[in-house]
Amino acid sequence: MIDPDPVIDEIAGGCLAVRIRMVARAVSALYDRSLADHDLTVAQLNILVFVGKAGPCPPGTIGRMLQMEKSTTSRNLRPLLARGWLAGEGAGTRLREVRLTARGRQRLAAVLEAWRGAQGQARDLLGASGATAVRALGDRLWQQAQ
């Protein structure tokens, strides 16, 4: 057995970041499994929903509001554009703006039941108080990002 180290023990025993990342990965995996048959990830679903709610917007706004790095946003936008679920405006590879298409709205309607199933699994995993806390924190971060 390794000798106890108070610094390591404090960080290992109390780090919120590691626990939040574990929870985020577990919850994301639930949604990704539920959406896999629809050729969609939860990150892509969130982009479709955000653009559908916000209207046409630049990729940078999507990344900022969804707390995604630029490369992650670009990587998730590419298949959505290729499948015709989003349409882009801009010159060359530089997108000024993306918008949800009719095909994108149809895809959202098609995944609704799968999303509802994942939503229930996530609520079960988090528990009622955990789900409420996550939603409240997300709402606060959303307000700060605007």
Side-chain angles (χ1 to χ4, degrees):
M1 177 105 179
I2 298 175
D3 290 332
D5 181 320
V7 172
I8 291 172
D9 290 345
E10 180 178 344
I11 295 170
C15 185
L16 293 173
V18 74
R19 285 163 178 79
I20 289 169
R21 286 175 177 261
M22 289 170 59
V23 169
R25 287 182 186 110
V27 170
S28 291
L30 289 174
Y31 284 91
D32 284 342
R33 280 192 301 274
S34 292
L35 297 169
D37 289 343
H38 298 278
D39 204 21
L40 196 63
T41 67
V42 70
Q44 294 165 346
L45 174 71
N46 289 332
I47 289 172
L48 290 174
V49 169
F50 175 78
V51 174
K53 189 81 172 149
C57 59
T61 299
I62 297 167
R64 181 174 49 83
M65 293 303 293
L66 296 179
Q67 303 286 315
M68 297 169 77
E69 292 183 15
K70 186 176 181 177
S71 62
T72 304
T73 303
S74 294
R75 187 174 54 250
N76 282 294
L77 281 173
R78 276 192 295 272
L80 300 175
L81 291 160
R83 293 178 185 124
W85 300 339
L86 291 177
E89 305 294 330
T93 59
R94 307 284 286 165
L95 285 174
R96 282 192 322 265
E97 190 172 85
V98 295
R99 64 176 173 74
L100 185 65
T101 65
R103 288 182 64 194
R105 288 184 190 284
Q106 290 169 347
R107 177 56 46 165
L108 289 173
V111 304
L112 183 58
E113 286 306 312
W115 174 84
R116 285 176 176 159
Q119 186 80 347
Q121 292 175 41
R123 271 196 305 269
D124 290 346
L125 177 67
L126 296 170
S129 62
T132 299
V134 166
R135 186 172 178 102
L137 177 58
D139 289 348
R140 189 169 22 165
L141 291 171
W142 185 262
Q143 291 300 321
Q144 289 174 0
Q146 292 180 345

